[in-house]
Structures are given as structure tokens and as C-alpha cells.
Amino acid sequence: MTDARTADTKAIPIGAGRGGRYWGRFYSLLAIAAVVATIGLNANSGAVVIAAMLLAPLMEPIMGIASSLVQGHLRRVVRLLASTLLGALLTVGLGYAILVAFKVPRDIEIPQQVLAPTTPSLADLVVALVAGIAGSYVQLRKEEAGLLPGVAIGVSLVPPLAASGMLLYFGQSRLAGEAALLFVTNLAAIVLTAAVVFLAFGMRPSRRLTGAGIRVTLGAAVVVAAVVVVAIHLTERTLHHLQQARDERTVARVIREYAGPHSVEIHRVVVEGDRVSVWLLYGVPLEKARVVAAPRDLISESLHGDKIAFDIARALGRDIDLEFTGLIKFEASGR
């Protein structure tokens, strides 16, 4: 195992002791990654979002936080953490500003790639913990640098921040907070497991550093507490999403039973507490395409009424506020 002096020499925290030129390049590259992520998210392009993950330089200061923590350099931890959070705010701001610059309508349907980071779960925490192990291992074993792209893709840092800024633009502050939570989850989990790996590989505080043991213990306690708090919240969110998914399947089942032989396609179901929103596509024979009538008159009378709301409420076991959005699609008679 490497002794304390060797570990302290070899494991200078990333970003520590570097001047304005390094941080200038860091923020420039981060801004480019934020622009690419915003464009990819708005265009629903997974490939462009992955490109942004590969461009983002956020893993460097995060690894620096972990190694500084292990070595007892708490002031360095604070500086690197401040730089990382400043970069996070820059990314959120660019996500918002780009939509303003391109005058994107606020009343459009939000792209699915933007909504994807708004449901963080325990699975995301596990991925971040593993990414911290892989990232720190690569940091210690430069010959394994080929693993870095996989680490960058495996853990999402810039896309949730860009999505947070975009959701603020669309007026979805709650969802913006959930996307930001995914970034915080990744940050805390990566720092925790990276610090453990650095310790396992023999990184220790310098013997010349007064009170190093207390500093390391204090820093470790803060990181562990942050991960525990995040894990508790994610557990609650995961259970909520599981219950929500069960409710949505129940609603879909009731609608299919209610529709019977009629051509009705369930486009989307959203259950939020007592509010149930359903988007349906009604199939109408093509020969009625030229009929001048209100859409409601083209749909079978047996699909009208409040009975379906009663059936859904009974299936869910609670009173609900049901909102239907119906669209008509014309079908060939041979179907």
C-alpha cells in the first residue's frame, strides 16, 4: 500500500493549484456542453444529449472534491465545490437563456428528453455510486483512461441541469427542482464512493497537516449525511412513482373495459393524487370524414356520460377529478 507521503504527492486534487487559464477552459467547455445538451433535449435527440455528456468537464472538479476530502484539505473542498456549483448555475442559466433567445413557445408540449430527468429514483443513486467507483479508479490508473467515456455516459451531470433551466422557462418549477435533485444525487454519490476508493488505494492526509483526521471525519460525515438525505427522498419518490404507475395501469384497464368494441386508443394517462388526466384517440370511419359535425357527434353515444368516471373512482378506491382530452382519427372501414 502507498504510504501517506507518496499518496499526498501523487493525488493532488484536480483543479487545485490551477490558475485562471484552467478555469477559463473549464467554464468554456462546460458552456459548450450546456448548449449542446439544451439543443439535444429540445430536439428530443438522445445522440446529441450523449455528446453533451462526453463534452462536460464536471467529473474533474468532483474527483478533486473527493481527493481533497480524503487528504483533509477542507478549504480546497469548499473552493472546488463552489466552482462546481457555479458551473451548475451556469448550465441552468444557459438552458433557460437559449430558449429565450430562440423564442420557443411556452405553451408547447414539453419534449420527453426534457422530462426524463424529472423522475429521479434509487436506481439513479446506485448508478451514481458505481460511477464514482469507476471514475476514481480511472483517476488513479491512467492506463484505464479508455473507460472515461463510459463513465461520462453512465452518470448524467449536464443534461439534468440544462433540463432544469428549460423547465423553469416553461414555468414548471417543481419539475425543475426534481431535475436539479438528480444532479445533486449524482454529485453526492460520486464524491462518497470516489473518496472510499481513494482511501482503499492508500491516499491519506499529509502528516504535516494539523488535525487532518478530524477534518477527514468531519468531511466524510457531511457527505454521508447528504447521501442519506438524498436516499430517503429518492425512496419516497420511487414508492410514489410505483404507486402512480399502478394507478395509471388501473385507469387504462377500466377505459379498455368501458370502450368495449369501440375503436379507442389510450394515448396517455397521468394520475397525480386525485386528479386523473386521460388523452384518448377515437377511431371514426373514414366515410364520415366529410360529415359536417361536432367531434362529439361522431363518437358513439355509449362512450359519453359520467359512468366511466364512477368506474375509475371505484377501481382506484377514492374520489377523483377526471379530465378527458379526446382526439379523432379517421380509419378505413376495413379495419
Side-chain angles (χ1 to χ4, degrees):
M1 182 173 283
T2 311
D3 62 45
R5 279 186 300 175
T6 304
D8 188 51
T9 303
K10 287 186 176 181
I12 296 174
I14 303 168
R18 301 191 184 185
R21 290 182 62 185
Y22 167 80
W23 289 110
R25 289 194 298 271
F26 170 81
Y27 288 117
S28 297
L29 189 56
L30 182 59
I32 293 171
V35 171
V36 172
T38 303
I39 293 173
L41 291 168
N42 193 56
N44 257 337
S45 173
V48 177
V49 173
I50 289 174
M53 294 178 185
L54 294 173
L55 285 170
L58 279 171
M59 280 294 284
E60 282 202 24
I62 293 175
M63 287 293 111
I65 292 170
S67 60
S68 297
L69 186 66
V70 170
Q71 294 177 86
H73 298 296
L74 293 190
R75 290 185 179 178
R76 204 175 283 164
V77 169
V78 172
R79 288 200 300 269
L80 288 170
L81 180 60
S83 299
T84 302
L85 294 180
L86 180 61
L89 290 175
L90 170 67
T91 306
V92 172
L94 283 173
Y96 186 97
I98 289 172
L99 297 191
V100 172
F102 284 94
K103 298 181 179 178
V104 176
R106 296 177 189 266
D107 55 353
I108 63 171
E109 183 177 354
I110 300 176
Q112 285 302 309
Q113 287 282 344
V114 179
L115 295 174
T118 62
T119 54
S121 66
L122 284 174
D124 296 300
L125 178 61
V126 172
V127 170
L129 290 169
V130 174
I133 295 173
S136 55
Y137 178 75
V138 171
Q139 190 60 41
L140 293 168
R141 295 286 185 265
K142 299 297 185 182
E143 64 273 16
E144 303 291 350
L147 297 174
L148 274 177
V151 176
I153 295 173
V155 62
S156 186
L157 293 169
V158 165
L161 292 171
S164 183
M166 297 171 73
L167 288 164
L168 288 174
Y169 174 84
F170 288 120
Q172 301 291 333
S173 56
R174 183 185 67 81
L175 293 179
E178 291 295 323
L181 174 63
L182 178 57
F183 170 77
V184 173
T185 299
N186 291 334
L187 174 62
I190 290 171
V191 170
L192 176 61
T193 50
V196 171
V197 171
F198 289 145
L199 281 170
F201 273 79
M203 190 181 294
R204 296 291 185 274
S206 170
R207 292 170 181 169
R208 299 186 299 273
L209 189 61
T210 306
I214 297 176
R215 297 184 185 191
V216 172
T217 303
L218 176 62
V222 170
V223 174
V224 170
V227 172
V228 169
V229 169
V230 168
I232 292 172
H233 180 76
L234 291 181
T235 300
E236 294 174 350
R237 296 299 299 164
T238 300
L239 294 175
H240 170 75
H241 291 315
L242 289 174
Q243 182 59 51
Q244 187 178 42
R246 284 193 292 268
D247 288 346
E248 290 171 0
R249 286 196 297 270
T250 299
V251 172
R253 175 180 56 77
V254 172
I255 292 173
R256 291 191 188 97
E257 293 174 354
Y258 183 81
H262 296 279
S263 180
V264 176
E265 179 182 333
I266 301 172
H267 179 62
R268 188 181 174 197
V269 176
V270 175
V271 179
E272 286 287 353
D274 296 333
R275 184 176 183 83
V276 178
S277 301
V278 180
W279 288 260
L280 297 179
L281 289 175
Y282 294 94
V284 174
L286 187 59
E287 56 265 24
K288 291 189 178 181
R290 296 183 181 180
V291 174
V292 179
R296 180 184 180 91
D297 297 332
L298 296 175
I299 301 170
S300 170
E301 285 295 329
S302 64
L303 291 177
H304 294 169
D306 298 325
K307 183 177 182 299
I308 189 170
F310 175 79
D311 290 344
I312 291 174
R314 184 173 60 181
L316 293 177
R318 62 180 183 271
D319 293 333
I320 62 166
D321 179 15
L322 179 63
E323 178 183 80
F324 267 119
T325 300
L327 299 173
I328 288 176
K329 65 173 182 177
F330 291 99
E331 301 174 340
S333 300
R335 285 194 58 181

